[in-house]
Amino acid sequence: MRLFSHRRRPAASGPLPTELLPRRAPGSVDSGGVLPKPPESGTAPGEWSVSHTYGDIVEVFVACRTADVLAASAPMPSTQAAVDNMRGYCFFLDADLAGICEPSPACWSGEPIEGHRNAIAIVVGFGRPIRPDEPGYSWISGSEQDNADLRATEIATVLTRYLGTLGYAATAHTAAASDLDRYRVAVEAGVLEAGRRGLGHPFLKRGCAVAVVTTNLELTPDGPLAPRNPLQNLRIAAKHWMGWGGTRPGWSRLDGRHRPWHLGRYPMEKVKRVDEPTTLIIGDEVTRPAARHNFFVRAGAGDLGPRPRKEVARFIRKAPHGIASQEMLRRLVPLQRGDAAPEVAAVADDADANADAVKALGHFIGADMTGVCEAPEYAWYSHRPDGSPIENLHRNAIVFVLDQGFETMEGASGDDWISGAQSMRAYLRASIIANAIAAQIRRLGYAAQAHTAADDEINHIPLLLSAGIGELSRIGELVLNPFVGPRFKSGAITTDMPLTSDRPIDFGLQDFCTKCTKCARECPVGAIRFGDKVMFNGYEMWKPDVDRCARYRITNMRGSACGRCMKTCPYNVEGVLAERPFQWAAMKLPFARSWIARLDDKLGRGEINEQKKWWVDIEVLDNVPVEPPKGANTRGLNLERKPRDESGFAMFPPEMAPPGPDGMAPFPLDRQAGIAASQEAECPDTARERVRQ
């Protein structure tokens, strides 16, 4: 739990307080001599190291290391805006350090790439070393360098494709494929310096991975790091240690990085556990939907009319960030399935140890929280997009979540040109994590399948509830976590590996959401209920008007998707010490919940923080990056809005879904029937009494 808030610190400055470090003038370091390499992990990957699963994933990224460049260049307000955009994107993708330079001739291993005058150096540091007595040691030990290299490769490749979508040439240079000396570029860009232990950085005490993106985009170079005297080093180290500057303190106890890998950063073990989810699920009454029933698929089929049908085709690709990630996400789909090793490894036959090991591995690769549960029959979808039936092949599920980023969310309205990028970043990272874990489980002799946004055969909501990640919220079909709120996306793996299940949690959210209607008030189209919960397809929930929500997200002309409900939720917190008493009170003191919800408004939580807006708003229209229409990212809090008349609220139960599992002929949405279904929906108390009898 960090001591200091950094709401006034620009997001493009990054997680580490590099502004404290003195620098030389750009280009003033002669890197022509022999440079030492950064220290690497002293342990080689063992037989069961996850490093052995990374090769196939890295190959997917290496195949896309050169950008496909759009014909026209995106309008940039200024060179400084371009710099902030590039640096901010690197940090958004979880780089630890990012710097810019004009690489000297000594950096290139051959002829320089024509026109690539500038380079962006990206550094990803190692996490805490795993101890021999920790769960997952044999899977993680010795894989630190490969893990950091994988993350650096992902960041560099996505950034390269992003630049191409802006109309600028770019190439990624990584540990797997490079045309230059990445370490030399890193020194010239001021993200590494030579020291007694080799190349390093004052804020990274262990090893690191380095990737570079070269480009013809005009950028202002940073200067190399300058020498510091001992007193300067002491002052800088003290500020960093306590978290005064940057968003990641040097003292690992302040942000949970000291905790065992299998427990993760957040103290979920302190949250109350219960036997059943806090919302009723009548499994026998859940109708498994087909992929054709998804409202984005329905829009593409013409069920919602001509405009949504047209716009859904470019829903992800209307913003450069979406284009940058979508193709990578699709290319990873073939890795989601595979054959298990013919024999079960002796190191993976204990359910308790396996559960802790997969949690440790999930957190090590990049998940923020990981849970384990059984995969009930009702959680599986019924048919794939091609109409083929889906069978429940695996008994157990591993589900994990990825924070969509407080820094970026703080600078957004939720109704803007970055909301889609937040989703796509999390979906791509979830695909990498799920594929690595699934491949590791198959190496150990068990069947395993990854489930991602590009190819999903199971509903994550019941898994998140059963695995104790969160509770169902007023937002509707969205699980909310006590530490990151609704600000996450999930990934899953199903498997027949023996795993000990977690239990659901109860942190008082049902009562809190009853007393707080902020998401309903702030929804741009009134798709979230002010009223009470209802039963829908066997689930107790505040069922949203999915028609309104999907239409707005798909046809939004002043933004890419929408995350307004996540932005304005009182549980969307920064993670500082001052917030902890309010989080505790919201969990433990029912009488305080209404007051906390009102206080959230009085403090202006949910307003746009201009200091955190690092991105340049760009729309891709007919394969041309252009300045989008005015009015994006301007929505402020609507404190005067009163509860609406919800007589026109609609919901569409399974019997109103398209009849064929794969028929793409238009099946027009009957909104009047949906309104009637909403008005006739069963009360959860009635359903409980019916089930009891």
Side-chain angles (χ1 to χ4, degrees), residues 350-378:
D350 181 87
D352 289 345
N354 290 344
D356 285 343
V358 296
K359 291 174 187 176
L361 183 58
H363 298 144
F364 175 73
I365 304 175
D368 288 294
M369 276 169 254
T370 306
V372 175
C373 65
E374 291 189 4
E377 185 73 25
Y378 64 79

Side-chain angles (χ1 to χ4, degrees), residues 57 61 89 92-94 154 158 294 296 315-316 321-322 324-333 336 366 368 381 400-405 418-436 450-456 458-461 464 477-478 486-492 553 560-563 566:
I57 300 173
F61 285 97
Y89 199 27
F92 174 63
L93 296 171
D94 296 316
E154 173 204 348
V158 173
N294 180 283
F296 287 89
F315 172 64
I316 295 175
H321 305 92
S325 300
Q326 186 185 42
E327 182 61 26
M328 306 310 305
L329 189 58
R330 287 176 174 172
R331 286 173 178 253
L332 289 169
V333 167
Q336 292 184 203
D368 288 294
Y381 295 122
F400 57 88
V401 301
L402 288 153
D403 188 344
Q404 290 183 250
I418 199 64
S419 179
Q422 289 181 281
S423 296
M424 292 308 298
R425 164 199 166 273
Y427 285 144
L428 178 57
R429 183 71 50 74
S431 179
I432 294 169
I433 296 169
N435 279 310
H451 301 266
T452 72
D455 184 13
D456 220 339
I458 198 167
N459 183 358
H460 295 198
I461 288 178
L464 291 165
E477 295 168 332
L478 185 144
R487 198 184 61 226
F488 67 80
K489 290 291 188 286
S490 60
R553 294 171 68 195
S560 171
C562 179
M566 291 186 286

Side-chain angles (χ1 to χ4, degrees), residues 168-425:
Y168 297 96
T171 300
H173 308 268
T174 66
S178 180
D179 301 307
L180 44 67
D181 186 331
R182 295 168 289 123
Y183 301 110
R184 198 175 298 279
V185 174
V187 171
E188 294 183 6
V191 291
L192 290 181
E193 63 182 356
R196 288 178 298 177
R197 297 179 60 245
L199 290 184
H201 190 275
F203 302 143
L204 298 179
K205 299 305 182 184
R206 306 186 65 239
C208 65
V210 177
V212 172
V213 174
T214 55
T215 179
N216 65 348
L217 172 64
E218 187 66 29
L219 297 169
T220 303
D222 299 310
L225 295 181
R228 300 171 301 279
N229 61 48
L231 183 57
Q232 283 180 303
N233 280 329
L234 183 61
R235 289 173 176 170
I236 292 169
K239 289 182 177 181
H240 175 227
W241 187 255
M242 297 302 295
W244 187 263
T247 59
R248 186 191 307 154
W251 188 14
S252 62
R253 287 186 174 274
L254 293 180
D255 73 346
R257 286 177 290 122
H258 69 291
R259 288 163 53 83
W261 281 108
H262 71 289
L263 293 180
R265 285 182 54 202
Y266 300 97
M268 290 295 295
E269 70 278 3
K270 295 183 179 180
V271 181
K272 178 183 175 182
R273 298 279 170 170
V274 291
D275 293 331
E276 298 291 339
T278 54
T279 44
L280 176 65
I281 303 176
I282 309 173
D284 293 340
E285 298 181 7
V286 176
T287 298
R288 295 164 57 192
R292 173 67 175 86
H293 301 169
N294 180 283
F295 262 68
F296 287 89
V297 178
R298 295 195 67 174
D303 296 3
L304 310 188
R307 188 182 172 201
R309 186 175 195 172
K310 175 185 176 182
E311 289 297 322
V312 77
R314 71 182 198 105
F315 172 64
I316 295 175
R317 303 184 66 81
K318 70 192 292 186
H321 305 92
I323 298 174
S325 300
Q326 186 185 42
E327 182 61 26
M328 306 310 305
L329 189 58
R330 287 176 174 172
R331 286 173 178 253
L332 289 169
V333 167
L335 305 184
Q336 292 184 203
R337 298 167 180 82
D339 296 327
E343 296 183 4
V344 173
V347 296
D349 58 357
D350 181 87
D352 289 345
N354 290 344
D356 285 343
V358 296
K359 291 174 187 176
L361 183 58
H363 298 144
F364 175 73
I365 304 175
D368 288 294
M369 276 169 254
T370 306
V372 175
C373 65
E374 291 189 4
E377 185 73 25
Y378 64 79
W380 294 79
Y381 295 122
S382 65
H383 293 81
R384 300 179 181 88
D386 63 4
S388 59
I390 295 173
E391 297 180 5
N392 182 351
L393 299 177
H394 306 135
R395 176 185 177 186
N396 293 319
I398 304 157
V399 62
F400 57 88
V401 301
L402 288 153
D403 188 344
Q404 290 183 250
F406 177 83
E407 290 284 293
T408 296
M409 186 72 82
E410 182 75 353
S413 69
D415 183 17
D416 45 51
W417 286 99
I418 199 64
S419 179
Q422 289 181 281
S423 296
M424 292 308 298
R425 164 199 166 273

Side-chain angles (χ1 to χ4, degrees), residues 292 298 301-305 654-660 663-670:
R292 173 67 175 86
R298 295 195 67 174
D303 296 3
L304 310 188
E655 57 267 23
M656 296 174 59
M664 293 303 289
F667 185 78
L669 195 71
D670 188 342

